[in-house]
Amino acid sequence: MASQETPVSRRLKLIKHVIIVCSGKGGVGKSSVSAQLALSLHASSPTARVGILDVDLTGPSIPRMLGLAGHGVHQSSEGWVPVYADGAEARLACMSVGFLLKKKDDSVVWRGPKKNAMIRQFLSDVRWGELDYLVIDTPPGTSDEHLSLLEHMALVHDRLSAVIVTTPQAVALMDAMKCLSFTRTVSLPVLGIIENMSGYVCPCCGEISNVFSTGGGEDMARRENVPFLGSLPVDTELVTLLDAAEGAEGKDEKNSAQPNESAERSFRLLARYQRTSSADLMKPIVDVIMGTLPLVESSAQQP
Amino acid sequence: MLAVQQPTEVPSPLSVPSNAPEHCPGTESELAGKSAACAGCANQEICASNTPKGPDPALPFIRERMSTVKRKILVLSGKGGVGKSTFTAQLGWAFAADEDVQTGIMDVDICGPSIPTILGIASEQVHSSSSGWSPVYVQDNLGVMSVGFMLPSSRDAIMWRGPKKNGLISQFLKDVDWGTLDYLLVDTPPGTSDEHLSIVQYLKESGIDGAVVITTPQEVALQDVRREIDFCRKVGIRVLGVVENMAGFVCPGCKTESQIFKPSTGGAKKLAEDMGLELLGSVPLDPRIGKSADYGVSFLDEYPDSPATTAYLNIIDRIKEILGDA
């Protein structure tokens, strides 16, 4: 029974590692960390192939952050074609419900079963191709989306791992703890905790203010015996970069078919990202993640 | 003689029915009533029956319970972490500052309940009586209900799919002994999904007085908030107005104001204009707000001189004015 193939496992056969980015709390920076993770993994080697899947169905942020807002998804005989953030290079594939909406302000008002079906389609119908890493950005909480993801990917469970994002406040840490309990219940290996929004540097005098307190993520990691991957301060440069990333809105919808222009734009996003201070802080985090992935997965294979 | 009445039992959210067999797949599972473990279970027939259900039998009870609640206000935002719960708590404290005003806060964020921590009552428990579950009281005229009170430990995660969450929300409305309330504030989770649809559906008959939509200034938050407003319009809820949170940060060192979350697309002001809504106000980012929330104390009482307090109070006055209660 365990060797039974499902459309999802067939599709995910060529994906080496799946990293689920989660946090119990909303607005702690799951999507921006996912985007950074994808960009950094993409930059880690000239041949790395990365996918990013946004399963936050009622609040998709990834398209805007990667400057892909307004793109549509194309059908092919082999399934849905993901939107490539780097154009012709096609090493950064992206899929989100945001690409399926007719109008960007349309609300997706769905109950659980419909969300479940959509997630299954994202996993089984998207032509991801061969990927080194698939980063999955999740909505806040521990509910339908999370359960569906694990259910549909049960056959590739030994390739799954999670990164937990939190901010230093007690309120956020409490939800992060719930998220950690969730990963333990479903035996999902945790690569580590990232503390986001840890301090803010005043652009005027350079003083560091702990807007949302500090150190809580590291304490939690120590207490719970989970690796602490690092802290990322509030980086206004990054906020602006991910916020204002130029979309293809207003332009011809077939923009993605014009590789040159798209590639150039995305190249700019990557180049600008790599100039931010967050990119430097993210690099050691990504190195740790790339280093521990094989270890975590090999231990997962031995029950 | 005293009549012995059966108290409404407070459910333990982590368990399957008490009389379930060992490997019960859970009553909400797709395998409910069909898995091997279900053979011989007393509830198998109920679980396995797929008969379409009629109108929710809870509706008349909810209507009755809500008939003594004067105003019902939702606090919404498509985006997480923008300060919904903090705002709800401040609003509750501000209403309850008047001793004659009875206020209730209902936290329908099932997977991430923050209200108990923010109000400083995280270790309390719900008690049941013959008239229903008794809310936890922060002060005499401020009652609170949240799933956080029902968990054995705050570390426990609630891993529920939609139908189970809906069931609990209906119980919050039907089985909680709210008593006579002037205001019932409903704090919601981010998004536009089960919890939101359920609360709207359950309160439709009793009427929702309006929704306050919270946002932060950056576009990534605004785009989710636009979707939430679109949702309100689709289901016919009046939006009382938009509150912009975390707008501007005053450095404690040099007193210069800077924008942590830059309003690159015009912020909440532009959003309110575009959507034809009122901007109720902007609350600056004060690190003490988050601290107060962590320690469970009222920011308005602790720091009455902060510009954020003034902003909060103005917004609350405006909400009362819009509702015609000022």
Side-chain angles (χ1 to χ4, degrees), chain B residues 168-179:
Chain B
L168 189 71
I169 292 171
S170 118
Q171 283 195 286
F172 275 180
L173 291 166
K174 161 171 80 81
D175 293 338
V176 175
D177 180 20
W178 290 107

Side-chain angles (χ1 to χ4, degrees), chain B residues 58-69:
Chain B
L59 282 175
F61 295 105
I62 292 174
R63 193 173 49 218
E64 200 192 320
R65 195 65 94 172
M66 288 295 123
S67 64
T68 52
V69 177

